[in-house]
């Protein structure tokens, strides 16, 4: 009798506990539905307040993390994802934690999470792909190569895998393997614009003009507005002196990004070569407004004014170029010397030729002109003799006409001083 009573009491207690637990779960489910509704209408602060009032569970903690992730507060998102994983080992939360780490630029932490997933599930290509990209981003090309090669063994049809493998090979300067990987990507997807661009660039650097043009033109069919492919096309046309065609491509990318310095500069240079000086001037001035350190634009403006015989304006442009320039400014000093010649100022002309050669010891024309101008300016022809001799010793084979004249002047100056009783060496 007593046993039956005890059993009934126990069953009632278990039923009450079950009902309470059920009601608690139902209440929690209802609360989570309310929280989801609040988040959906942007009331995330209220949702967070309600979540913090709940008992700390895996579900509540991971929801807090997700809300912080949705408002780009990845620092707090990572913190709560970490707490959630301590309560329960969950695949989806690990993935979200890795993404949060990436957003925080804690890339090695993201790698650790992905490596942990892969150690338990080696067939997970999605995570392997993300891991491979992170290896590239953190400059671990050897690991990236192993990862992408492993992925390709499982799926060789995805162009992105071959493309990423090519990027990793490029980091190790493995040119042929890099090109082969981009070609494989292209075979898998003939519209894969990133691979097409890299192939066009690689063949350009190899001076393989035909192959480069194939991929440049193919890429521009896929995406006519691809800036870098347009630039490769423009550079090729410019080298071939097809300036009118180059201008057509330049105007296309100018409509896409009118503040691009390269475009304004190349438009100026193309119009300059077509002798359309007013148009050239307009674009060089635009280039200067975009990049005030572009001293070569001032050089071109000087060249335009020189052609128009506006020598004082040309002088000012060249002087600004020599002041603004940080690279060798031998061209600018050389052009300035030509202006001083036109203005009848041989002293400054000499100084400028001297500076031109000092800026660039390979500028044989500057040295030759320094010798010639010295001979015309100084009574002491030994000064010119020294410069002519230096020219012949260093640049005899550079220009047959200049060398012939330099040797003739050396002979004449030597003869002159010999008759004066002095032997020049």
């Amino acid at each position: 009798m007593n046993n039956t009573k005890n059993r009934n009491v126990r069953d009632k207690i278990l039923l009450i506990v079950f009902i309470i637990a059920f009601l608690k779960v139902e209440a929690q489910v209802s609360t989570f539905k309310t929280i989801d509704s609040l988040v959906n209408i942007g009331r995330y602060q209220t949702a967070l307040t309600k979540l913090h009032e709940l008992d700390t569970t895996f579900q509540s903690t991971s929801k807090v993390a997700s809300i912080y992730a949705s408002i780009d507060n990845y620092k707090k998102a990572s913190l709560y994802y970490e707490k959630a994983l301590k309560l329960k080992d969950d695949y989806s939360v690990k993935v979200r934690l890795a993404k949060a780490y990436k957003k925080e630029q804690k890339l090695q932490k993201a790698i650790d999470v992905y490596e942990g997933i892969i150690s338990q599930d080696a067939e997970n290509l999605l995570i392997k792909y993300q891991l491979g990209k992170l290896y590239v981003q953190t400059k671990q090309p050897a690991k990236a190569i192993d990862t992408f090669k492993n992925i390709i063994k499982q799926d060789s049809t995805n162009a992105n895998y071959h493309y990423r493998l090519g990027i990793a090979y490029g980091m190790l300067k493995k040119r042929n393997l890099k090109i082969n990987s981009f070609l494989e990507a292209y075979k898998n997807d003939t519209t894969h614009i990133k691979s097409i661009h890299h192939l066009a660039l690689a063949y350009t650097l190899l001076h393989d003009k035909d192959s480069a043009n194939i991929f440049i033109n193919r890429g521009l069919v896929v995406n006519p507005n691809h800036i870098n492919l347009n630039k490769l096309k423009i550079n090729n046309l410019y080298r071939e002196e097809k300036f009118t065609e180059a201008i057509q491509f330049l105007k296309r990318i100018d409509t896409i990004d009118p503040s691009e310095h390269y475009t304004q500069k190349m438009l100026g240079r193309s119009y300059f070569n077509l002798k359309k000086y007013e148009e050239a001037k307009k674009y060089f001035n635009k280039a200067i407004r975009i990049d005030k350190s572009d001293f070569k634009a001032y050089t071109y403006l000087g060249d335009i004014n020189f052609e128009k015989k506006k020598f004082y304006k040309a002088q000012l442009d060249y002087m600004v170029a020599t002041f603004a320039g940080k690279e060798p400014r031998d061209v600018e000093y050389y052009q300035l010397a030509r202006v001083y010649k036109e203005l009848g100022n041989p002293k400054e002309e000499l100084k400028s030729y001297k500076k031109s050669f000092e800026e660039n010891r390979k500028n044989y024309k500057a040295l030759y002109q320094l010798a010639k101008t010295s001979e015309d300016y100084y009574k002491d022809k030994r000064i010119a003799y020294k410069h002519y001799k230096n020219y012949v010793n260093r640049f005899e084979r550079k220009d047959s006409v200049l060398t012939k004249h330099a040797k003739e002047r050396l002979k004449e100056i030597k003869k002159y001083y010999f008759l004066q009783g002095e032997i020049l060496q």
Side-chain angles (χ1 to χ4, degrees):
M1 185 90 173
N2 285 335
N3 288 338
T4 304
K5 260 187 183 180
N6 289 337
R7 195 181 309 116
N8 288 337
V9 169
R10 190 165 58 248
D11 289 344
K12 285 178 182 178
I13 291 170
L14 286 171
L15 180 62
I16 291 166
V17 169
F18 174 78
I19 291 168
I20 291 170
F22 177 78
L23 291 173
K24 193 173 181 180
V25 168
E26 281 295 305
Q28 202 169 47
V29 168
S30 176
T31 302
F32 284 134
K33 283 182 180 178
T34 302
I35 287 164
D36 289 339
S37 298
L38 287 168
V39 172
N40 287 336
I41 59 172
R43 306 294 194 271
Y44 69 87
Q45 288 174 316
T46 306
L48 284 170
T49 300
K50 287 187 174 296
L51 281 166
H52 288 308
E53 288 171 354
L54 298 174
D55 292 338
T56 301
T57 63
F58 168 79
Q59 192 173 2
S60 64
T61 308
S62 60
K63 274 193 179 290
V64 170
S66 295
I67 291 171
Y68 281 124
S70 70
I71 58 172
D72 296 345
N73 188 338
Y74 296 107
K75 186 175 181 180
K76 282 196 172 180
S78 298
L79 178 67
Y80 280 95
Y81 282 136
E82 288 169 353
K83 287 180 177 180
L85 285 170
K86 287 178 182 176
L87 296 167
K88 180 182 174 184
D89 186 20
D90 183 86
Y91 169 80
S92 64
V93 169
K94 284 180 182 177
V95 173
R96 281 180 274 168
L97 174 60
K99 287 180 180 177
Y101 282 148
K102 282 166 68 179
K103 293 289 186 180
E104 281 190 275
Q105 291 301 304
K106 293 180 177 177
L107 302 184
Q108 189 53 52
K109 281 196 167 188
I111 286 171
D112 293 341
V113 173
Y114 284 145
E115 285 179 340
I117 294 172
I118 293 301
S119 68
Q120 295 176 342
D121 181 9
E123 303 301 311
N124 193 325
L125 295 188
L126 294 174
I127 296 302
K128 273 188 183 177
Y129 182 56
Q130 296 302 323
L131 180 58
K133 288 196 293 183
L134 278 174
Y135 283 143
V136 169
Q137 201 173 343
T138 55
K139 295 181 172 47
Q140 301 181 68
K143 285 186 177 182
I145 288 166
D146 286 343
T147 302
F148 289 122
K149 283 170 76 174
N150 185 272
I151 293 172
I152 289 166
K153 279 182 183 177
Q154 297 175 71
D155 177 9
S156 63
T157 62
N158 190 322
N160 283 312
Y161 299 156
H162 296 284
Y163 167 73
R164 297 288 175 182
L165 180 59
I167 295 294
Y169 278 132
M171 293 173 73
L172 292 177
K173 310 293 184 191
K174 294 184 180 293
R175 186 185 66 196
N176 293 340
L177 290 171
K178 174 185 75 173
I179 291 173
N180 288 341
S181 294
F182 293 142
L183 284 169
E184 283 298 319
Y186 179 71
K187 285 176 188 174
N188 277 279
D189 179 2
T190 56
T191 65
H192 198 273
I193 196 68
K194 289 181 179 179
S195 294
I196 292 170
H197 170 235
H198 276 282
L199 286 165
L201 183 60
Y203 286 122
T204 297
L205 293 172
L206 286 170
H207 305 290
D208 185 341
K209 182 180 170 183
D210 292 337
S211 296
N213 281 331
I214 286 169
F215 287 105
I216 290 168
N217 294 331
R218 174 61 186 157
L220 290 174
V221 170
V222 175
N223 181 2
N225 296 329
H226 193 286
I227 297 295
N228 288 325
L229 284 170
N230 271 285
K231 285 181 179 180
L232 288 173
K233 180 74 173 180
I234 290 159
N235 291 342
N236 286 346
L237 291 170
Y238 189 87
R239 277 191 290 269
E240 293 166 8
E241 299 186 1
K242 296 178 180 177
F243 304 117
T244 303
E245 288 182 56
I247 287 167
Q248 292 172 1
F249 282 90
L250 283 161
K251 288 196 169 178
R252 176 192 288 171
I253 62 174
D254 191 38
T255 61
I256 300 167
D257 184 3
S259 62
E260 172 70 42
H261 176 262
Y262 165 88
T263 311
Q264 311 309 318
K265 178 81 167 282
M266 287 299 289
L267 277 165
R269 291 175 68 185
S270 297
Y271 279 118
F272 178 83
N273 282 293
L274 292 171
K275 300 190 184 301
K276 295 183 177 181
Y277 295 133
E278 286 307 310
E279 282 293 299
K281 195 173 178 179
K282 178 177 77 176
Y283 287 108
F284 284 129
N285 281 320
K286 280 186 178 181
I288 289 167
R289 284 196 293 273
I290 294 168
D291 182 2
K292 288 182 170 54
S293 68
D294 179 14
F295 73 98
K296 286 293 179 183
Y298 285 107
T299 306
Y300 276 108
L301 289 172
D303 292 342
I304 291 168
N305 283 317
F306 189 90
E307 289 294 322
K308 291 183 170 184
K309 300 191 183 305
K310 295 179 180 179
F311 298 119
Y312 285 106
K313 283 188 174 181
Q315 177 188 7
L316 181 61
D317 290 325
Y318 292 136
M319 287 179 77
V320 172
T322 59
F323 178 76
K326 291 185 171 68
E327 299 171 26
R329 299 156 295 175
D330 54 307
V331 171
E332 288 67 35
Y333 282 118
Y334 188 93
Q335 293 297 82
L336 194 54
R338 293 179 69 213
V339 170
Y340 285 128
K341 182 179 177 65
E342 294 293 336
L343 295 175
N345 189 340
K347 187 176 180 181
E348 291 301 321
E349 182 187 357
L350 267 171
K351 282 183 183 177
S352 294
Y353 281 133
K354 186 169 185 260
K355 284 181 179 177
S356 177
F357 185 63
E358 285 172 349
E359 287 273 317
N360 180 6
R361 295 283 176 177
K362 293 180 181 179
N363 192 329
Y364 65 94
K365 289 183 180 178
L367 180 57
Y368 172 82
Q369 291 296 341
L370 178 60
K372 188 174 181 298
T373 310
S374 296
E375 185 180 3
D376 295 338
Y377 182 72
Y378 294 114
K379 287 183 181 180
D380 185 354
K381 306 304 177 188
R382 285 169 293 197
I383 297 170
Y385 183 87
K386 180 186 73 174
H387 293 312
Y388 279 130
K389 190 172 182 182
N390 190 15
Y391 172 85
V392 171
N393 287 340
R394 296 185 62 169
F395 305 116
E396 183 176 3
R397 296 183 181 181
K398 277 287 184 184
D399 187 311
S400 59
V401 175
L402 297 185
T403 300
K404 182 182 177 184
H405 183 262
K407 285 182 175 180
E408 286 172 357
R409 297 315 304 151
L410 282 170
K411 188 177 179 181
E412 287 299 316
I413 295 169
K414 195 170 187 179
K415 181 180 176 183
Y416 171 79
Y417 279 99
F418 179 76
L419 294 173
Q420 304 295 318
E422 184 177 345
I423 298 174
L424 297 181
Q425 298 298 321

